[in-house]
Amino acid sequence: MEEQVRVLIIGSGPAGYTAAIYASRANLKPVLYEGLEPGGQLTTTTDVENFPGHPDSVSGPDLMGLMRKQAERFGADIRTGNVTRADLSSRPFHIVIDGEKEIKAETLIIATGATAKYLGLPSETKFRGQGVSACATCDGFFYRRKDVAVVGGGDTACEEATYLASLCRKVYLIVRKPFLRASKAMQERVFNTPNIEVLFEHNTAEVLGDESGVTGALLRKNDGSETQIDIAGFFLAIGHHPNTELFADQLQLDAEGYIKVEPGTSKTNIEGVFAAGDVKDPHYRQAITAAASGCIAALDCERFLLK
């Protein structure tokens, strides 16, 4: 039997939980499905030092737990489960959970996030959160006056390298090509920063470490020779992959696969469908901006339902 809901929220990071808090307080009785990674990307980070209201920092899992609790306090129906099919061709929208449960939703808030791309090394997985990170602005502070490496050759990698250079003693930029793909301005910033060393035509063969975390990286040059660098932090900046496969043929996406929204709103090209968080944000990708966009989505959704 099909279940009818007024507001269905897909995803459970800061965007999804904040949308649930606002929608619950507006008495919209939202139902939220947590997806494959309850709590989102933040559950894989250790200390979050830049979320307002937590002067002594808070662990990622604790912060997500608090947001979840707050949403539940106001009556949000939070469920484990993963959306496996979504038909947005007519309202109410037809959503399938885990291949079997069917839901008809008057409105939909998509907060499925984006997944950082990794190199795929077992050692990289082993030290994730212990020196391996995909967010310099989140974790760079922990590596003050230490040596770190950034992997990538685009604008994001150059931006992360210059940001880290202001905190760290030395930054290695590991680039597999013989050139940087970044814009001219970003390249100049990198080359004019004395404590950034660009290692062209290098690939990471292994992230090295011990029980305390990352201690170095084994690099392989394109000619096959190997070299080792001593570092305390290893930052990935090779892109993110927005989790939009379910909606690819139905919603307007940009070239990278992020959901397009009307500027200044959370509205997608389909009436009654709203997007929040990293799934529509290729630029900032911060917990606080995701939470803010979850608030916007819930308010947009409420106004839509009042019409």
Side-chain angles (χ1 to χ4, degrees):
M1 176 158 131
E2 274 182 346
E3 183 183 0
Q4 305 260 355
V5 304
R6 289 195 81 192
V7 179
L8 182 66
I9 301 167
I10 308 174
S12 59
Y17 286 147
T18 304
I21 290 166
Y22 274 79
S24 307
R25 284 173 55 85
N27 206 25
L28 299 178
K29 299 184 171 53
V31 171
L32 181 150
Y33 275 94
E34 291 186 305
L36 293 172
E37 194 178 26
Q41 282 185 92
L42 266 196
T43 55
T44 63
T45 65
T46 45
D47 290 344
V48 179
E49 293 198 319
N50 53 7
F51 201 88
H54 293 275
D56 300 321
S57 87
V58 58
S59 84
D62 285 353
L63 181 59
M64 289 300 91
L66 290 167
M67 285 193 192
R68 187 186 202 277
K69 227 180 194 161
Q70 195 171 352
E72 285 180 319
R73 181 190 151 207
F74 295 116
D77 183 350
I78 297 176
R79 305 173 183 177
T80 53
N82 190 39
V83 174
T84 48
R85 210 166 73 243
D87 180 358
L88 311 181
S89 57
S90 61
R91 283 185 64 233
F93 307 115
H94 190 100
I95 309 295
V96 179
I97 312 293
D98 294 328
E100 45 191 41
K101 182 172 173 58
E102 303 198 4
I103 289 181
K104 281 201 163 160
E106 271 186 71
T107 55
L108 195 59
I109 294 176
I110 300 166
T112 47
T115 308
K117 291 178 186 170
Y118 285 85
L119 298 170
L121 303 169
S123 55
E124 180 188 49
T125 311
K126 181 183 174 183
F127 294 111
R128 201 174 292 183
Q130 278 189 290
V132 171
S133 168
C135 181
T137 40
C138 313
D139 299 326
F141 193 70
F142 302 115
Y143 301 95
R144 277 165 304 169
R145 295 185 285 282
K146 292 180 179 174
D147 296 352
V148 299
V150 176
V151 180
D155 275 339
T156 303
C158 290
E159 213 168 285
E160 305 249 298
T162 47
Y163 170 76
L164 288 165
S166 67
L167 301 167
C168 303
R169 190 172 57 189
K170 177 159 193 174
V171 180
Y172 295 98
L173 184 58
I174 304 166
V175 187
R176 87 196 144 87
K177 295 191 165 138
F179 57 87
L180 290 172
R181 286 181 296 108
S183 62
K184 270 279 173 281
M186 282 312 301
Q187 289 190 41
E188 276 173 26
R189 271 175 70 184
V190 164
F191 294 134
N192 290 328
T193 306
N195 59 333
I196 296 178
E197 183 180 339
V198 185
L199 302 172
F200 286 116
E201 298 189 69
H202 280 75
N203 285 290
T204 307
E206 210 63 70
V207 180
L208 308 170
D210 54 28
E211 60 287 342
S212 68
V214 169
T215 57
L218 179 66
L219 308 181
R220 193 168 290 134
K221 274 201 83 167
N222 291 359
D223 63 9
S225 61
E226 290 185 343
T227 178
Q228 193 174 313
I229 54 172
D230 296 328
I231 50 169
F234 184 82
F235 290 86
L236 281 302
I238 52 176
H240 281 71
H241 172 73
N243 302 319
T244 50
E245 291 82 356
L246 275 176
F247 318 104
D249 305 327
Q250 307 179 76
L251 290 176
Q252 275 179 9
L253 309 177
D254 71 8
E256 303 290 304
Y258 289 88
I259 296 174
K260 284 185 174 181
V261 293
E262 271 181 39
T265 78
S266 63
K267 297 172 189 173
T268 69
N269 61 302
I270 296 177
E271 276 215 332
V273 179
F274 307 91
D278 288 10
V279 76
K280 59 129 200 105
D281 173 18
H283 304 296
Y284 301 106
R285 291 194 294 268
Q286 298 299 301
I288 191 72
T289 51
S293 73
C295 159
I296 290 166
L299 294 174
D300 285 345
C301 185
E302 183 189 359
R303 285 171 192 150
F304 175 81
L305 287 167
L306 283 172
K307 277 200 296 194

